[in-house]
Amino acid sequence: MEEMTVINIVIVAVLVTAVAVYLFMRRQKDAVQDEMNRLTLRLTEMELKMEAERTINNMLLASTGSSAVVAGVATMGETGSAGEPIAAGKERKAAAVDLSAMDDKELFEHISRVIRDEELFRWPDFNRAAAMEQFSLSAARIGGAFMRGGGMGMPEFVRNCRLDYACRLMVEQPELSFTEVGEASGYQRTTTFYHDFKARFGMPPAEYRAQQLKQDDATAIQSEQPQGGEPKEQPQEITEPEKNNDVRKQ
């Protein structure tokens, strides 16, 4: 009798365990299925997005003068003010060009020209990831184009563009503070702007601007002098007493 009771208990325990395992496996299966459904949905969205981008690129390539149209759209939304960021810059893509057929030097020249002409370096967060999105290229392709085609890394090129723009801004608009100059040139931190500027030019921004303004003043003074060397001596006006002395001498 006791043996039958023990057997029944064991059977019940086994059944309970089997049910628990089944419920656990069912729950795990449902969770895996839900995750697969989410991944499938994300992949579908990515495929639709890529297909839309391909369609747009094909339309641009098929249109006459597409590059001019894209360039016109690219300039819309730019403020033109030195202290304000480019509002519509991040929303635009580079003009449709077959970049895959370019070698490293050609690709470097194309990307660097777009960065300078459209002032992409003024985006505070413009980096290799932003360039990858802008030009639809991989990090390795962009890095190789800059190193092998331009002899420098992309961060160095962007930094030089920002510093060149800052130099021009300090002379053309000397009323701007150095914080405003740095921000307008694409720097998020003034300390980084000071560090990069001194590392390249060997002097702080204040000293550089003072030298440039002094040179401009000297050039302006020279341009005001008559050609041919020494300024002409103006004839002296003869006063009345001098006239009387001349008469008496005669």
Side-chain angles (χ1 to χ4, degrees), residues 23-40:
L23 293 176
F24 176 78
M25 295 297 293
R26 181 66 180 271
R27 189 179 297 112
Q28 290 293 105
K29 181 179 179 181
D30 292 341
V32 171
Q33 187 64 38
D34 291 340
E35 185 65 22
M36 290 181 64
N37 291 337
R38 283 195 294 269
L39 289 175
T40 302

Side-chain angles (χ1 to χ4, degrees), residues 70-119:
V70 175
V73 174
T75 57
M76 295 178 60
E78 295 188 3
T79 61
S81 175
E84 297 178 3
I86 303 174
K90 294 184 180 180
E91 301 299 327
R92 64 177 183 257
K93 289 279 187 180
V97 179
D98 186 10
L99 304 180
S100 61
M102 297 183 180
D103 58 25
D104 289 330
K105 185 174 180 58
E106 292 172 340
L107 185 59
F108 166 75
E109 291 175 351
H110 171 76
I111 295 177
S112 61
R113 182 172 59 252
V114 172
I115 292 175
R116 284 193 301 264
D117 293 349
E118 298 189 9
E119 297 184 350

Side-chain angles (χ1 to χ4, degrees), residues 44-244:
T44 303
E45 292 175 350
M46 291 177 64
E47 290 176 354
L48 291 174
K49 183 179 179 180
M50 292 175 64
E51 182 63 28
E53 290 181 352
R54 282 195 296 267
T55 302
I56 293 174
N57 288 335
N58 291 334
M59 291 174 63
L60 289 173
L61 288 172
S63 300
T64 304
S66 60
S67 298
V69 174
V70 175
V73 174
T75 57
M76 295 178 60
E78 295 188 3
T79 61
S81 175
E84 297 178 3
I86 303 174
K90 294 184 180 180
E91 301 299 327
R92 64 177 183 257
K93 289 279 187 180
V97 179
D98 186 10
L99 304 180
S100 61
M102 297 183 180
D103 58 25
D104 289 330
K105 185 174 180 58
E106 292 172 340
L107 185 59
F108 166 75
E109 291 175 351
H110 171 76
I111 295 177
S112 61
R113 182 172 59 252
V114 172
I115 292 175
R116 284 193 301 264
D117 293 349
E118 298 189 9
E119 297 184 350
L120 303 184
F121 58 87
R122 292 182 62 193
W123 301 355
D125 55 351
F126 184 76
N127 51 23
R128 186 174 296 183
M132 291 168 58
E133 180 180 357
Q134 180 75 13
F135 298 99
S136 300
L137 295 172
S138 65
R141 186 73 177 97
I142 294 176
F146 273 86
M147 291 303 299
R148 293 187 293 270
M152 69 179 72
M154 180 180 164
E156 181 181 358
F157 174 81
V158 173
R159 182 167 59 248
N160 288 338
C161 289
R162 288 172 175 169
L163 292 175
D164 291 340
Y165 185 84
C167 290
R168 190 180 70 198
L169 205 59
M170 284 190 292
V171 176
E172 293 178 353
Q173 301 187 37
E175 72 279 1
L176 294 177
S177 67
F178 295 116
T179 299
E180 292 173 328
V181 171
E183 290 177 351
S185 304
Y187 281 95
Q188 292 179 312
R189 298 177 180 272
T190 306
T191 53
T192 306
F193 169 57
Y194 272 81
H195 176 272
D196 290 350
F197 195 96
K198 190 171 183 180
R200 180 179 175 186
F201 298 105
M203 65 182 74
E207 183 178 349
Y208 175 87
R209 180 159 66 182
Q211 287 186 4
Q212 294 299 313
L213 294 178
K214 186 176 180 180
Q215 291 178 4
D216 291 346
D217 292 341
T219 303
I221 293 174
Q222 291 179 356
S223 63
E224 292 176 358
Q225 293 182 354
Q227 297 181 355
E230 296 292 334
K232 294 182 179 180
E233 183 179 354
Q234 298 294 329
Q236 295 183 353
E237 182 180 357
I238 301 177
T239 61
E240 190 66 28
E242 292 175 345
K243 290 180 180 180
N244 294 333

